[in-house]
Amino acid sequence: MVATAPAQRVRQALDPVVGPLGLVLEHVEVTRAGSRSVVRVVVDLAEDATGELDLDRVAEVTRVVSDTLDEADAFPGHYTLEVSTPV
């Protein structure tokens, strides 16, 4: 899948903050839903990590991602953020 310009801007903003949390940014997608954008971010454990990605870590990365997107102003307008792990 080819990343859209907004998705590329989001990825550029998030790559530097997700890695230090021991996670990798698997996928970023930005779509429109009415007057809002929907930002879907998929994170996973780094390849050399052991264990699983629990809800506490997902909550932590969600806060970091949300703060980073707000600070970076990666795209204009309101958005809904969805952070998940690979199925």
Side-chain angles (χ1 to χ4, degrees), residues 26-38:
E26 291 284 330
H27 180 73
V28 173
E29 179 182 26
V30 178
T31 58
R32 296 292 298 173
S35 63
R36 292 181 171 262
S37 294
V38 177

Side-chain angles (χ1 to χ4, degrees), residues 3-40:
T4 63
Q8 289 172 339
R9 287 193 301 272
V10 169
R11 181 174 283 281
Q12 288 172 344
L14 297 182
D15 271 333
V17 298
V18 171
L21 297 174
L23 303 172
V24 291
L25 193 55
E26 291 284 330
H27 180 73
V28 173
E29 179 182 26
V30 178
T31 58
R32 296 292 298 173
S35 63
R36 292 181 171 262
S37 294
V38 177
V39 180
R40 291 181 181 92

Side-chain angles (χ1 to χ4, degrees), residues 4-79:
T4 63
Q8 289 172 339
R9 287 193 301 272
V10 169
R11 181 174 283 281
Q12 288 172 344
L14 297 182
D15 271 333
V17 298
V18 171
L21 297 174
L23 303 172
V24 291
L25 193 55
E26 291 284 330
H27 180 73
V28 173
E29 179 182 26
V30 178
T31 58
R32 296 292 298 173
S35 63
R36 292 181 171 262
S37 294
V38 177
V39 180
R40 291 181 181 92
V41 176
V42 179
V43 295
D44 200 1
L45 291 173
E47 283 187 32
D48 59 347
T50 58
E52 59 184 40
L53 189 52
D54 63 20
L55 289 177
D56 289 336
R57 287 192 67 192
V58 172
E60 176 187 6
V61 74
T62 299
R63 283 189 295 277
V64 170
V65 165
S66 178
D67 291 347
T68 301
L69 291 179
D70 288 346
E71 290 172 13
D73 198 22
F75 51 92
H78 298 285
Y79 66 92

